[in-house]
Amino acid sequence: GAVVSQHPSWVICKSGTSVKIECRSLDFQATTMFWYRQFPKQSLMLMATSNEGSKATYEQGVEKDKFLINHASLTLSTLTVTSAHPEDSSFYICSAPSWETQYFGPGTRLLVL
Amino acid sequence: KQEVTQIPAALSVPEGENLVLNCSFTDSAIYNLQWFRQDPGKGLTSLLLIQSSQREQTSGRLNASLDKSSGRSTLYIAASQPGDSATYLCAVPTGANNLFFGTGTRLTVIP
């Protein structure tokens, strides 16, 4: 089956720094990728849709200037959390569709001190 | 707006029991429904994908059913094992090709 990777798997940073998370589709191309966020003991919530060659689409309540998304190629999307604060600490998961099936990355745990 | 609810939110059962997890959705215009497993601090593992034209889908000890008209799906786990302990999420596709996730059921199987 299709494989999606994420890097890094976990990151700890100081408040005010920026953190970049990569999402790669390893054996298929994806013109669209999705970024989800999951707070402790809660379900996954869609943050934004990453579109190759055009701007990302953000869900209501998600700040586009804080969560920068760049779909650099058909196999790579990056999410940059700018000026991270402790409330941004969460589990970030990306997914990419292939033939009507969503394939999920293993997730990135972000802890902002 | 689609709402996906899972009941119960948490469940503890002794090893060997059969159990049923429930998922309900408000908008029945879906073309499939997917069940995932998530271990603590980990990503998602797809368990079963059931198409809207199907009523059931089976994989090993797992059986998922889908009733679009009533907006419900169930995940049946037979002969539960401690290794089945995890959070189980159901999800339905949105019109934008992403997934809308349920609230999850945290399952603990006691040895």
Side-chain angles (χ1 to χ4, degrees):
Chain A
V3 178
V4 174
S5 69
Q6 276 184 246
H7 178 80
S9 57
W10 59 270
V11 58
I12 302 174
C13 68
K14 293 182 178 180
S15 183
T17 60
S18 294
V19 175
K20 180 185 285 188
I21 303 171
E22 293 185 349
C23 176
R24 292 182 186 271
S25 56
L26 298 185
D27 49 3
F28 66 102
Q29 295 181 333
T31 57
T32 302
M33 292 183 178
F34 302 101
W35 287 96
Y36 296 83
R37 179 169 54 182
Q38 184 180 35
F39 291 108
K41 297 188 178 180
Q42 294 186 25
S43 193
L44 281 75
M45 297 296 293
L46 180 67
M47 296 176 64
T49 301
S50 174
N51 303 298
E52 192 270 337
S54 64
K55 292 181 179 179
T57 306
Y58 292 82
E59 295 300 300
Q60 191 174 11
V62 178
E63 300 175 55
K64 62 179 182 180
D65 294 329
K66 180 169 185 62
F67 298 98
L68 300 180
I69 291 174
N70 181 27
H71 203 127
S73 72
L74 288 172
T75 59
L76 173 64
S77 173
T78 60
L79 169 67
T80 301
V81 184
T82 62
S83 187
H85 290 285
E87 57 265 31
D88 298 323
S89 297
S90 187
F91 193 55
Y92 294 86
I93 304 179
C94 69
S95 75
S98 178
W99 296 100
E100 293 189 349
T101 299
Q102 290 287 336
Y103 294 92
F104 285 83
T108 297
R109 182 160 301 283
L110 171 64
L111 177 60
V112 185
L113 301 176
Chain B
K1 180 185 175 184
Q2 179 74 273
E3 290 184 15
V4 183
T5 307
Q6 290 184 245
I7 296 173
L11 179 65
S12 290
V13 299
E15 182 178 0
E17 268 202 11
N18 303 325
L19 58 103
V20 175
L21 306 180
N22 298 291
C23 171
S24 61
F25 45 93
T26 54
D27 185 350
S28 61
I30 59 172
Y31 56 87
N32 64 45
L33 183 144
Q34 201 162 355
W35 282 93
F36 293 88
R37 168 188 173 135
Q38 185 178 31
D39 292 289
K42 304 289 185 181
L44 302 178
T45 300
S46 179
L47 298 174
L48 289 164
L49 186 152
I50 181 165
Q51 300 290 350
S52 61
S53 58
Q54 298 174 315
R55 284 197 169 268
E56 285 189 5
Q57 190 70 264
T58 299
S59 176
R61 293 182 294 109
L62 306 179
N63 176 278
S65 68
L66 175 62
D67 184 345
K68 279 186 59 177
S69 61
S70 66
R72 293 181 182 180
S73 175
T74 60
L75 178 66
Y76 175 82
I77 302 177
S80 58
Q81 302 171 358
D84 295 331
S85 298
T87 295
Y88 291 80
L89 298 163
C90 65
V92 296
T94 70
N97 203 28
N98 53 57
L99 291 178
F100 194 93
F101 284 86
T103 48
T105 294
R106 191 165 61 255
L107 172 66
T108 303
V109 180
I110 304 166

